[in-house]
Amino acid sequence: MISKPTAENIKKAAAILRDGGIVAFPTETVYGLGANAQNDQAVQKIFKVKGRPRLNPLIVHIDSFEKLNQVANIHDNKQVLENVAKLKQFWPGPLSVVLPKNPSLSNLVTAGLDSVAVRIPNHQVALALLRECGFPVAAPSANISSHVSPTLASHVEDDLGDKIDFILDGGPCSVGLESTIISLLDTKPAILRTGGIPLEKLEQALGEVDLIGGNKNNAADAKEEISKPLLAPGMLFHHYAPKTPLVIHCDIPNTKLPRRVGLIYFSETSTLPKEFDYSNTTCLSLSGDIDEVASRLFASIRAMDRLGLDLIVVERCAETGIGRAIMDRLTRASASLMP
Ligand code: TXA
Ligand code: MG
């Protein structure tokens, strides 16, 4: 059931979470499926309803920096403390930080790792819900495992509607791509997943960072890296996929052209690929604004996926700023057709 984010419904959602239920809620990145991170039975429900592998750890959400010590254990680690201080400026926001975990935090949430990914989301409904809860909330994206992440409440309902207790509707997610995940476990910080905060901004704050599970120049080159599960648990290569085969424009197969093809392009001034008589086209931003493209990308892929097309073709963009995360998600979504 989709519910408006009134004060009463936020209280109701918090009560469901307190009682061990699971609730979908909006964040600025994508919708999350939340459970009380201190309740193993509740956390178990998340893995079950999503069909999520147990080895894929969850991100823990808190509403304020002061609560970081509830989930992480950083007080005696000078270097981690220094780096966390440099990243504080990005919170609340689309950045998850991997830190040594507080031993009291459930091993189920972290899939047995001794680290935890934490973030403070930048969304009024999410923050109000977290404040009302008081406890940390573990929340993966609120989609069936390996499907495209939800950026509208209706996407959550389409994937999980009959399996979850409550969906808070916060409208469309403003960022529209998942958070960037950065690990501070090693001396050199490492990006495990590109996302809402670009690499360039993180390097401005921290100095040089490694990019694991991605390549600084080219998402396609990162395929092999991404498929090593231990480097970035859960970042399995084939991810974010619609049911309809998807290709990035330059990778259109030149054998046997399919009949019904949809095109997602990024700007009114894009030079459109001419290979097909498109059955359907969607432009994500009149002016080609890359943040607008990011915010509408997943919804447009989901909408095209409902049309029963043979192929979805998506434009490509420069792999800088948020464009790096866009190309990462498109490369993963198109994995099945890549050689
Ligand atoms: O934007 C987001 O991050 C959204 C919203 C809801 O906050 N959440 C999200 O969660 O995208 P999920 O489960 O779809 O992706 C979480 C990823 C996992 O796949 C895993 O790779 C990584 O976070 N992760 C979590 N804990 C980790 C840890 N301790 N070490 C390394 N990676 C971790
Ligand atoms: Mg996910």
Side-chain angles (χ1 to χ4, degrees):
M1 185 188 50
I2 296 183
S3 303
K4 289 208 174 79
T6 57
E8 195 187 331
N9 282 335
I10 288 171
K11 278 208 165 87
K12 202 164 155 186
I16 294 172
L17 288 171
R18 199 168 296 119
D19 291 344
I22 52 179
V23 167
F25 62 96
T27 81
E28 80 283 28
T29 58
V30 301
Y31 276 73
L33 179 62
N36 179 348
Q38 295 167 339
N39 178 335
D40 271 0
Q41 276 177 349
V43 172
Q44 240 151 5
K45 288 184 192 166
I46 289 183
F47 285 95
K48 185 153 176 245
V49 305
K50 277 185 58 100
R52 182 181 179 100
R54 299 275 156 157
L55 284 175
N56 192 352
L58 306 176
I59 294 174
V60 175
H61 297 68
I62 53 176
D63 64 272
S64 68
F65 195 74
E66 290 63 45
K67 294 206 175 127
L68 192 55
N69 288 329
Q70 281 187 5
V71 292
N73 182 15
I74 57 173
H75 61 274
D76 56 356
N77 190 324
K78 190 164 168 273
Q79 192 190 3
V80 171
L81 280 171
E82 273 173 24
N83 283 336
V84 167
K86 291 177 185 160
L87 294 180
K88 204 177 161 187
Q89 58 178 305
F90 299 109
W91 278 348
L95 182 71
S96 298
V97 183
V98 176
L99 297 166
K101 103 179 184 52
N102 182 320
S104 72
L105 186 70
S106 155
N107 283 323
L108 209 60
V109 171
T110 61
L113 298 172
D114 46 21
S115 61
V116 59
V118 196
R119 105 175 174 96
I120 304 177
N122 187 16
H123 193 291
Q124 289 318 311
V125 176
L127 290 171
L129 177 66
L130 291 166
R131 271 194 298 270
E132 189 65 37
C133 288
F135 48 80
V137 171
S141 51
N143 51 282
I144 298 275
S145 197
S146 50
H147 195 202
V148 182
S149 290
T151 54
L152 289 172
S154 62
H155 296 158
V156 181
E157 183 155 62
D158 292 344
D159 272 24
L160 302 169
D162 52 344
K163 299 190 189 118
I164 62 180
D165 300 312
F166 210 67
I167 303 173
L168 277 174
D169 187 355
C173 301
S174 59
V175 175
L177 297 175
E178 301 84 351
S179 61
T180 301
I181 303 178
I182 188 161
S183 168
L184 297 183
L185 298 181
D186 293 326
T187 316
K188 193 165 170 197
I191 295 180
L192 305 184
R193 177 177 76 182
T194 54
I197 300 287
L199 169 108
E200 293 83 349
K201 282 200 172 169
L202 293 168
E203 288 200 324
Q204 271 168 24
L206 291 168
E208 203 189 330
V209 303
D210 276 337
L211 185 50
I212 299 177
N215 180 294
K216 280 194 184 175
N217 304 313
N218 186 327
D221 288 352
K223 256 169 95 170
E224 204 186 321
E225 276 302 300
I226 295 165
S227 64
K228 290 178 194 160
L230 285 179
L231 284 179
M235 295 295 290
L236 303 175
F237 185 66
H238 188 59
H239 226 75
Y240 309 100
K243 293 183 192 75
T244 315
L246 181 149
V247 286
I248 301 170
H249 172 239
C250 62
D251 301 325
I252 292 175
N254 51 15
T255 52
K256 202 169 162 237
L257 295 181
R259 266 188 330 119
R260 299 194 67 233
V261 181
L263 172 70
I264 298 173
Y265 61 108
F266 294 169
S267 156
E268 270 303 306
T269 58
S270 298
T271 319
L272 301 187
K274 308 248 174 347
E275 284 83 347
F276 305 105
D277 229 353
Y278 292 99
S279 313
N280 194 283
T281 58
T282 304
C283 176
L284 295 188
S285 167
L286 290 179
S287 64
D289 175 55
I290 201 69
D291 291 322
E292 192 179 3
V293 168
S295 72
R296 298 186 56 207
L297 181 68
F298 286 166
S300 70
I301 292 175
R302 276 186 179 251
M304 282 231 172
D305 204 17
R306 281 197 292 271
L307 302 178
L309 300 168
D310 301 311
L311 185 69
I312 301 171
V313 177
V314 189
E315 194 178 342
R316 63 179 310 127
C317 63
E319 292 187 43
T320 54
I322 194 118
R324 203 177 265 111
I326 292 175
M327 288 307 296
D328 170 80
R329 303 309 188 269
L330 290 177
T331 306
R332 290 167 195 276
S334 64
S336 58
L337 285 188
M338 303 274 281

